Amino acid sequence: MARSYVREARRRGLGTRRERIGPVVERLAQEHADAEIALRFRTDLELLVSVMLSAQTTDVNVNRVTPALFEKYRRPEDYLAVPQEELERDIYATGFFRQKAKAIRGTMQMLLEEFDGEVPSRLKDLVRLPGVARKTANVVAAELGHAQGIVVDTHVRRLSQRLGLTRNEDPVKIERDLQRIVPRPDWARFPHLLIWHGRRVCDARRPLCEECVLADLCPSSRVRVVPARVEVTSPVDGD
């Protein structure tokens, strides 16, 4: 899988990961100038809750639930003022509602007890909150303007592998690989660029390589740019 893409990048003479990352970021930024988080929120607290609810469901589904939810629950105290069963009913449509309701209430309790009711921006504080793993913490910190890591979701994992930027499968190891080559000022926007590119162009099953702005930089591309013509070849196995 990812290992063959790294080797293929060398075989095609595409340059090192560090050499390619600049053009990759620049081209994706031009192609997807509107790339941003799809969740809708107005406050730091709404951001945190939205990201927690997005686990194991789509952003679209979360956005259907949160307008009414955020009208009813405006402060950490509000989430604790109702029985857990009531909160479960309010977030039922996002799935895994019992676990999510328990995590949200635990998080609200900790916010009140340790952070004066405010959402912390430091990663080491965020990951202490119930139900907040590193991916969630990275999303929240980045959206608060304090990116301390790189979000690795399914799109980021898949495209990082296809681009030959990592040979790893584990999200933590992939994040470390990306942190070594992606300029720190781009840590927040880089995942959004890959996510939107994955949705619009680099589909998991049928990537639109002929339309991809990264075709000449991507070792898994079916399109090879050669002098005076474009040659379509078989895709590299493994994704």
Side-chain angles (χ1 to χ4, degrees), residues 9 16 21 35-36 47 86 112 171 176 190 202-203 211 225 238:
T16 66
I21 195 63
E36 61 182 5
L47 164 65
E86 184 173 343
L112 290 170
R176 289 173 185 162
F190 185 68
C202 196
D203 182 76
E211 301 176 16
V225 179

Side-chain angles (χ1 to χ4, degrees), residues 216-237:
D216 62 323
L217 296 173
C218 180
S220 66
S221 176
R222 295 185 298 114
V223 176
R224 297 192 190 184
V225 179
V226 295
R229 67 191 184 95
V230 173
E231 177 183 320
V232 179
T233 63
S234 299
V236 177
D237 294 333

Side-chain angles (χ1 to χ4, degrees), residues 21-209:
I21 195 63
V24 165
V25 173
E26 181 179 352
R27 293 185 194 181
L28 289 180
Q30 292 176 351
E31 186 75 3
H32 308 291
D34 58 341
E36 61 182 5
I37 191 169
L39 294 170
R40 294 197 293 266
F41 57 90
R42 298 165 297 186
T43 67
D44 296 353
L45 187 64
E46 290 182 1
L47 164 65
L48 176 59
V49 173
S50 293
V51 179
M52 293 178 72
L53 290 176
S54 69
Q56 305 299 316
T57 190
T58 65
D59 293 345
V60 171
N61 198 31
V62 173
N63 288 337
R64 292 194 186 106
V65 171
T66 50
L69 187 74
F70 293 154
E71 285 301 314
K72 181 176 181 178
Y73 303 92
R74 296 172 179 264
R75 306 172 302 157
E77 294 91 339
D78 297 335
Y79 290 91
L80 300 171
V82 300
Q84 179 167 320
E85 293 76 15
E86 184 173 343
L87 179 57
E88 289 175 1
R89 289 195 296 272
D90 290 336
I91 64 172
Y92 177 83
T94 68
F96 298 92
F97 56 93
R98 292 190 180 89
Q99 298 97 310
K100 290 178 181 179
K102 182 179 179 180
I104 289 172
R105 285 168 58 86
T107 284
M108 298 306 158
Q109 190 69 47
M110 184 175 287
L111 290 181
L112 290 170
E113 292 176 353
E114 300 191 26
F115 301 102
D116 297 321
E118 301 295 325
V119 177
S121 59
R122 295 190 303 179
L123 207 64
K124 67 177 184 179
D125 293 329
L126 286 165
V127 295
R128 292 180 52 225
L129 300 173
V132 177
R134 184 175 179 88
K135 174 187 168 184
T136 298
N138 267 330
V139 173
V140 173
E143 292 303 314
L144 292 178
H146 302 283
Q148 295 144 66
I150 296 176
V151 176
V152 177
D153 74 345
T154 55
H155 288 293
V156 175
R157 177 187 62 81
R158 175 167 53 82
L159 269 67
S160 294
Q161 291 174 344
R162 283 183 171 178
L163 287 166
L165 302 179
T166 182
R167 64 175 75 247
N168 287 300
E169 290 286 342
D170 180 74
V172 174
K173 293 180 179 179
I174 292 174
E175 182 183 0
R176 289 173 185 162
D177 287 343
L178 294 176
Q179 285 177 305
R180 292 188 185 102
I181 59 174
V182 176
R184 193 176 184 106
D186 292 320
W187 283 9
R189 70 170 177 168
F190 185 68
H192 293 313
L193 295 175
L194 290 190
I195 289 168
W196 284 92
H197 195 64
R199 289 171 177 169
R200 291 169 169 171
V201 180
C202 196
D203 182 76
R205 296 184 180 275
R206 299 180 65 86
L208 304 176
C209 296

